[in-house]
Amino acid sequence: HRGLDYDQLRAMSRVPLIAAIIQTRINQIAEFAKPSQDGSDIGFQIRLKDRNEVPNETDLETIQDMYEFILSCGDNRIDFESSFESFLRMLVRDSLIFDQGCFEVIRSRNGQVAAFMNVDSSTIRRSKMTASEKEAGKRDPDGVHYVQVYANKVKAQFNTRDLCFGIRRPRSDIHFRGY
């Protein structure tokens, strides 16, 4: 028995008290979706790994490009309405309601990361191991690790490079580890 299903969890999240708690946490996290100008205010900061090193002009350009990429969730031709704040809000909501937060990593033709966007976490499941994976005793790193299920049909398949699948409360319970 796995506990509550996704529809039950979604229904519980609409109970006014629970909805208020969830929204409060989402609002708190969303405060960190903007750059912190000097590192002392709320937000995120991109900096050199070595805090004592002074960034050169190339470093500053790279840092600025990274800020723009994160704030727009990548190439705005993929989704011109995307913002890092809305991305975080959706990810945290799914994480709090379903105990999993998922997002797709979208790649360009040459394999570079072009963007990232939320995926409805309630539709993502871990895939079953193939016969060869079971025989080897481990998953194929390039194989299908996750599937998107909608109306009891698999609509998409993902490997670990193209879908981030985060669990808020990982546990060793045999019923939750895919055995």
Side-chain angles (χ1 to χ4, degrees), residues 129-130 133 136 138-146 158-162:
M129 290 178 80
T130 64
E133 287 175 329
K138 63 180 181 178
R139 286 211 176 250
D140 175 2
D142 298 319
V144 174
H145 286 240
Y146 309 104
F158 302 95
N159 61 30
T160 57
R161 290 186 66 231
D162 298 327

Side-chain angles (χ1 to χ4, degrees), residues 1 9 27 34 40 66 84 90 95 111 113 125 133 160:
H1 187 275
L9 292 169
N27 291 341
K34 61 183 185 304
S40 65
M66 293 174 82
F84 189 53
M90 288 185 263
S95 177
V113 175
R125 308 287 185 272
E133 287 175 329
T160 57

Side-chain angles (χ1 to χ4, degrees), residues 160-175:
T160 57
R161 290 186 66 231
D162 298 327
L163 185 87
C164 292
F165 182 92
I167 301 294
R168 178 171 285 280
R169 297 177 308 120
R171 45 205 177 270
S172 62
D173 185 324
I174 196 166
H175 296 101

Side-chain angles (χ1 to χ4, degrees), residues 139-159:
R139 286 211 176 250
D140 175 2
D142 298 319
V144 174
H145 286 240
Y146 309 104
V147 293
Q148 184 175 42
V149 178
Y150 184 74
N152 292 320
K153 289 189 173 41
V154 173
K155 298 294 185 177
Q157 299 178 339
F158 302 95
N159 61 30

